[in-house]
Each structure stands twice: as C-alpha cells, then as structure tokens.
C-alpha cells in the first residue's frame, strides 16, 4: 500500500507562488511515477503535471506550462510542485497520485492506483 501525504496548500494573491509537497514511503518512492491532479468546484479532476520514476521526464498540462515546475527528491522521498504566477483559475484541491509501472505522463485518473487526501489552493484576484 502506497501512502501519499500532500502539504503546502494555502491562500495567495494572484501572481504569487506556492510549493506543494507530496511525501511517500522510502520503499516505494524511487520506483514509481507520480503526478499532480487538481479539481475545482463543479469541474472534473484534471491532470496538472507528472514525473517519471527516476525524475528524468516531466509532463505538464497546457494550462500550467511555463508556470509550474515538478521535481522529486529521492533523498527525502518527496515530490514538489513549484507553482509560480498563480491565477485565480488555479484555485482547486490538488491531489498527489502514484502510478506504479507507468510513465507519469498519463492524464487518465484510472491509471493511478494511489491518491493523497488533497490540499486546497486558493488564489484571489
């Protein structure tokens, strides 16, 4: 069982930055691809960014390209999502997800076997 714990959400003004973290167990982190999804009220959960198991490849949704950066720190068993130039439309609950055996590029929810509890990000104008 893979446990994912998100942190770093909060409320910021447009144009500011936040960094989300997703921590997992040492036994699993180095072997699985991971991703961030988000879900705004009344909308479907959407792919934000993904990273391969070794961190060699990253993938981004069109709406966040150039503003968000995904990385992973094997020593800390943690994945980070640096979010810059935040916009009100980035407001959502952000979820960390793990895809054992996958590439980290999939935008399909069913491809991810494990999910965190979510962390709220609110961007005011």
């Amino acid at each position: 069982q893979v446990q994912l714990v998100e942190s770093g959400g909060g409320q910021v003004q447009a144009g500011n930055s936040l960094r989300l973290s997703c921590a997992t167990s040492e036994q699993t982190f180095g072997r699985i691809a991971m991703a961030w999804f988000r879900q705004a009220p009344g909308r479907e959960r959407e792919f934000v960014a993904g990273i391969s198991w070794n961190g060699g490849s990253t993938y981004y949704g069109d709406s966040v390209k150039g503003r968000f950066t995904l990385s992973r720190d094997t020593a800390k068993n943690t994945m980070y999502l640096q979010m810059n130039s935040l916009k009100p439309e980035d407001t959502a609950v952000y979820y960390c997800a793990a895809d054992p055996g996958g590439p980290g590029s999939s935008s399909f929810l069913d491809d991810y076997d494990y999910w965190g509890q979510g962390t709220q990000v609110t961007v005011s104008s």
Side-chain angles (χ1 to χ4, degrees):
Q1 184 74 16
V2 177
Q3 292 186 329
L4 306 174
V5 180
E6 302 108 330
S7 61
Q11 183 169 355
V12 297
Q13 289 190 325
N16 285 350
S17 301
L18 278 176
R19 189 177 77 161
L20 304 183
S21 300
C22 175
T24 186
S25 62
E26 178 180 356
Q27 291 83 357
T28 57
F29 185 75
R31 299 194 298 271
I32 55 175
M34 300 180 72
W36 287 95
F37 286 74
R38 67 186 182 185
Q39 187 167 19
R43 302 190 66 176
E44 295 185 351
R45 194 170 296 190
E46 66 171 352
F47 177 81
V48 175
I51 190 166
S52 60
W53 68 272
N54 61 358
S57 298
T58 53
Y59 312 90
Y60 297 94
D62 289 341
S63 62
V64 306
K65 284 180 181 177
R67 299 188 298 122
F68 291 11
T69 303
L70 187 57
S71 62
R72 61 193 299 163
D73 185 335
T74 302
K76 296 183 178 180
N77 302 322
T78 302
M79 175 178 66
Y80 301 102
L81 182 67
Q82 179 66 42
M83 305 186 295
N84 298 330
S85 302
L86 283 162
K87 304 175 181 180
E89 50 263 44
D90 293 318
T91 295
V93 177
Y94 284 70
Y95 296 92
C96 173
D99 179 13
S105 58
S106 175
S107 61
F108 295 103
L109 304 182
D110 289 345
D111 286 342
Y112 294 84
D113 295 335
Y114 303 99
W115 293 83
Q117 80 286 356
T119 186
Q120 176 71 46
V121 171
T122 303
V123 184
S124 58
S125 58

